[in-house]
Amino acid sequence: MKQPNQPLIFEQSRPGRVAYSLPETNIPEQSLSDILPGANIREEEPALPEVSELQLMRHYTALSNRNYGVDSGFYPLGSCTMKYNPKINEETARMAGFAATHPYQPEAQVQGNLEMMYDLQQALAEITGMDEVTLQPAAGAQGEWTGLMLIRALHEANGETGRTEVIVPDSAHGTNPASATVAGFDHVTVRTDERGLVDLEHLKEVTGEKTAALMLTNPNTLGLFEEDIMEMADTIHQAGGRLYYDGANSNAIMGITRPGDMGFDVVHLNLHKTFTGPHGGGGPGSGPVGVKKELIPYLPGPVLTKENDTYYWDKDRPHSIGRVKPYYGNFGINVRAYTYIRTMGAEGLKKVSEYAVLNANYLMRRLEPYFDLPYGRHCKHEFVISGRRQKKLGVRTLDMAKRLLDYGYHPPTIYFPINVEECMMIEPTETEAKETLDAFADAMIGIAKEAEEDPEMVQEAPHTTVVGRLDETLAARKPVLTYNTETSLKSMK
Ligand SMILES: *Cc1c(COP(=O)(O)O)cnc(C)c1O
């Protein structure tokens, strides 16, 4: 259960208190200016807090207890796939053969590591229905950019330089139009229709000789499967464009269908979402990109290759778009994903998809009587509800999200996708037990009732957290990241 919030004793520093004991140094005193340029030498002692080891320990332990993560509670953040990170992944990632090797070691010494990467590439190619995979990109967004650069290189090689537009649905993850722009394309928005799916007629209108690609998430960010996908693929291909699949959250389709079979030419996956890598807090990610045959020559180099049971980096790739990340990508995350795939097996991955979809539909139907459901069809791994009904009582979706903190839950994604009013996007993932889903549903239903009976209390939430509502813009734009008594005290107010 939640820890009681102890009163904050902020300033604990007293001159002379120390939290460490170091042995005497046997390195001779040396004039600093012999080692460092003058401008880099401190003139005054740093104003660091002076505390005992116990105070230091309590400080950091208290901070860690205030953190909320998958290991502390339910985390239904839609489009983020905050699923359990199996601890066996950590054990394999820590094995000396993986953790203590260096990417610049000669190939002959790291054959095992290369084999693991090669097998992972093969497994991801199989799961997505692609012909070849690169593990270089370090995040979903970098995968998107890499994939679009590949499509760009292909069009250029074919002399089709007039293909300047990438079509993106209005429900797409924000990284999609951003990646298109960074890759040098203009993005064109295609509308969502009343089914919550891409408006096929509108897609046909915006597709033409300028179309370089359609970027699609399927199931889309409303959690709905684009049932017209084959017709959409035909439309784009007949116009000479290519299809890009945003597979960040693939845990509704693994083992059931494959982007390659739906007509997609390029796909990225988020190993730090679907494949159980820990994420959030800016941790290392991995966004491998898979491609169909015609795009293989453009893949980032060097390309991991196998010949007579020997693995090596093929650097002779004249058409490659170049390297997008140093040799191994984020290797540790790849070890974790590989462990996960080997642990689950093909049947296990299919079960993952079935449970992800079952959990999301169960939760959606439990909430349906209390919240507006803009799209009533069965969902895939996630779903959206709208706080329209509560808004009429003066309670916004933001208020309900804050109130969830009092119940001890991380709120779902809110106000995204932007085409749904007062949106809440909920993704329970397959790793949650029914009891957890029920407890969360009870909390949500409780808040819906509070909105009717005591709207003010919900508007003023959270009531039990250490701090109330923060200025999120200031926190992002002007974060206070260093110890400084004055600013620290000010920011506590
Ligand atoms: C998370 C996500 C991304 C971006 O992935 P990052 O690793 O955060 O860059 C892209 N698309 C979708 C649908 C996502 O959920």
Side-chain angles (χ1 to χ4, degrees), residues 139-146 175 179 244 268 270 287:
Q142 199 189 7
E144 291 170 26
W145 174 80
T146 302
T175 50
S179 302
Y244 183 95
H268 90 260
N270 277 24

Side-chain angles (χ1 to χ4, degrees), residues 78-81 138-144 172-176 217 219 221 246-249 268-270 272-273 279 285-287 382 416 427:
S79 194
C80 291
T81 311
Q142 199 189 7
E144 291 170 26
H173 195 273
T175 50
N176 290 187
T217 312
T221 51
D246 180 339
N249 322 104
H268 90 260
L269 297 167
N270 277 24
H272 48 292
K273 289 181 183 169
H279 66 117
S286 183
E382 66 192 2
F416 173 79
E427 179 180 5

